Amino acid sequence: MQADLSSYRIKELAYQSGFDLCGVASPAVIPEARRQFNEWLDSGLNGEMTWLAANIDRRTDPTRLMPEVRSVIMLGLNYFQPDRQEKSEGFGRVSKYARGKDYHKVIEKKTRNLIERIRADLASHSVEAGEKFAAKWWVDYGPLLERTYAAMAGLGYIGKNGMLINRKYGSWIFLSEIVTNLELEPDDRLAVNHGRCGKCTRCIDACPTGAIIADGVVDARKCISYLTIERPSSIPEDLADRMGDWVFGCDVCQDVCPHNGRALVTSHREFTDDSGVGEFLNLKAVISLQSREDFLGLTAGTPLTRPKLEGLQRNAAIVCANQSRPR
Ligand code: B12
């Protein structure tokens, strides 16, 4: 399809929709990423997240998502906010991404808004172009390797901690994508480079459970984020002991990253503490939640609904036990 819009115009529209980052990737399969993804699954590093193995072809090949695809528009939102309080006994720490509103909802709204802006812009040039425009979008739970295509779209590079790291915002960014039949000029792929971490190994050294097992490779089964959010079953004792104060998610590998040292505070109110549960959860209050209604009273509209009441109470009990042991 002959596009009436330039890649530059798409970015202008993305910023108008509220995104902090936008780049365009070609829809090609990235053999290196496909190989790494297959190896990761074959080694069982996905733990109980069996859904990740369900659609390998779709995850690694955008033409499986839309046969007529010509471009993948990758979008990013900065969610950084500094830690405000000292941690104190009786409270568990929530990772930064989860302190405000559920980001899926926030980014979904902006992504849909951008699609409508693109459609309107095309239609203002030619009714036919507006009608021919096709777009599908996803965030997180969608079937695409988001970090891979974000790196290809020039949004950043993949660090040793596996995170997509942007020059301006560090790694504190959420991603979403629009797969489209628009023919757009792809962005600079030089951003794809494993060497940007240099000799630094701070994330590998700091991970409390030793979950970063090679450059860019995370063993999810050990990652505190997986244990506290995605793992449905009980957490093995040796790992629980090393969860420290983390009651939901974990930021250690990002907190120690030198690229995050000058991160900019988010301008999106939805991600600030007062839009959700904030930085700390009162552990006793979590443990004494009696019903699903009580649980939703605390967590509705935030990412903390994911582990359900039992999962969050399991995490709170572990943090209580960790705090009662001499450090
Ligand atoms: C499953 C999952 C998890 C799992 C596994 C994480 C992992 N490291 O694999 C768990 C539950 C542990 C997790 C944790 C977190 N997650 Co998560 N997660 C995902 C999800 C749904 C799939 C990731 C996946 O497929 N993993 C398998 C590995 C093998 O793939 P990968 O990490 O994408 O790595 C690829 C690249 O390294 C690429 N690659 C390798 N070499 C090369 C070379 C080239 C040239 C290129 C282009 C690419 C490339 O190949 C790999 C596989 O193909 C994505 C959303 C999505 N749809 O992609 C979010 C996502 C990765 N998560 C996200 C976030 C925010 C987090 C946490 C920070 C949350 C928290 N604070 O607790 C932590 C971070 C942990 C970490 N260090 O990775 C963001 C990351 C944004 C960013 N800046 O990177 C994503 C993109 C969600 C989103 N839409 O914003 N997550």
Side-chain angles (χ1 to χ4, degrees), residues 30 32-38 40-41 45-46 49 51-52 59-60 75 79 95-98 103-104 107 138-152 157-166 170-177 189 192-194 212 215-221 223-230 246 248-254:
I30 315 297
E32 168 66 7
R34 178 176 270 188
R35 185 192 57 72
Q36 192 162 317
F37 187 59
N38 279 316
W40 191 76
L41 291 172
L45 304 183
N46 55 324
M49 296 181 292
W51 47 273
L52 277 166
R59 277 191 182 271
T60 54
L75 301 154
Y79 67 88
S95 80
K96 290 184 185 52
Y97 94 92
Y103 76 91
H104 297 95
I107 208 166
W138 288 276
V139 46
D140 186 44
Y141 40 69
L144 186 72
L145 283 176
E146 293 186 322
R147 301 203 255 222
T148 294
Y149 286 92
M152 294 305 287
Y157 81 101
I158 293 161
K160 286 187 184 163
N161 56 5
M163 299 300 296
L164 190 276
I165 301 176
N166 175 265
S171 60
W172 309 107
I173 38 180
F174 296 128
L175 300 172
S176 71
E177 58 275 357
R189 298 175 194 187
V192 178
N193 176 352
H194 269 289
I212 306 172
D215 187 345
V217 182
V218 174
D219 181 346
R221 296 168 302 179
C223 177
I224 293 174
S225 176
Y226 167 77
L227 296 170
T228 55
I229 304 170
E230 296 292 336
W246 293 105
F248 187 88
C250 173
D251 289 328
V252 173
C253 68
Q254 297 190 84

Side-chain angles (χ1 to χ4, degrees), residues 23-93:
V24 175
S26 93
V29 173
I30 315 297
E32 168 66 7
R34 178 176 270 188
R35 185 192 57 72
Q36 192 162 317
F37 187 59
N38 279 316
E39 272 181 30
W40 191 76
L41 291 172
D42 290 346
S43 312
L45 304 183
N46 55 324
E48 292 173 62
M49 296 181 292
T50 46
W51 47 273
L52 277 166
N55 288 307
I56 297 177
D57 284 349
R58 295 180 81 199
R59 277 191 182 271
T60 54
D61 181 0
T63 64
R64 299 294 186 112
L65 302 174
M66 180 192 269
E68 69 275 31
V69 61
R70 291 287 174 274
S71 311
V72 181
I73 303 170
M74 291 302 309
L75 301 154
L77 277 186
N78 167 28
Y79 67 88
F80 177 74
Q81 49 179 326
D83 293 339
R84 287 175 210 287
Q85 302 164 43
E86 281 299 305
K87 61 185 173 219
S88 58
E89 193 91 2
F91 289 84
R93 195 180 280 278

Side-chain angles (χ1 to χ4, degrees), residues 165-227:
I165 301 176
N166 175 265
R167 191 184 280 270
K168 183 169 172 190
Y169 298 108
S171 60
W172 309 107
I173 38 180
F174 296 128
L175 300 172
S176 71
E177 58 275 357
I178 298 173
V179 170
T180 174
N181 61 346
L182 285 181
E183 190 97 51
L184 302 167
E185 195 183 332
D187 280 287
D188 184 5
R189 298 175 194 187
L190 289 175
V192 178
N193 176 352
H194 269 289
R196 303 273 177 100
C197 292
K199 291 192 175 138
C200 177
T201 57
R202 282 199 214 176
C203 57
I204 297 174
D205 303 339
C207 176
T209 55
I212 306 172
I213 55 172
D215 187 345
V217 182
V218 174
D219 181 346
R221 296 168 302 179
K222 292 184 184 171
C223 177
I224 293 174
S225 176
Y226 167 77
L227 296 170

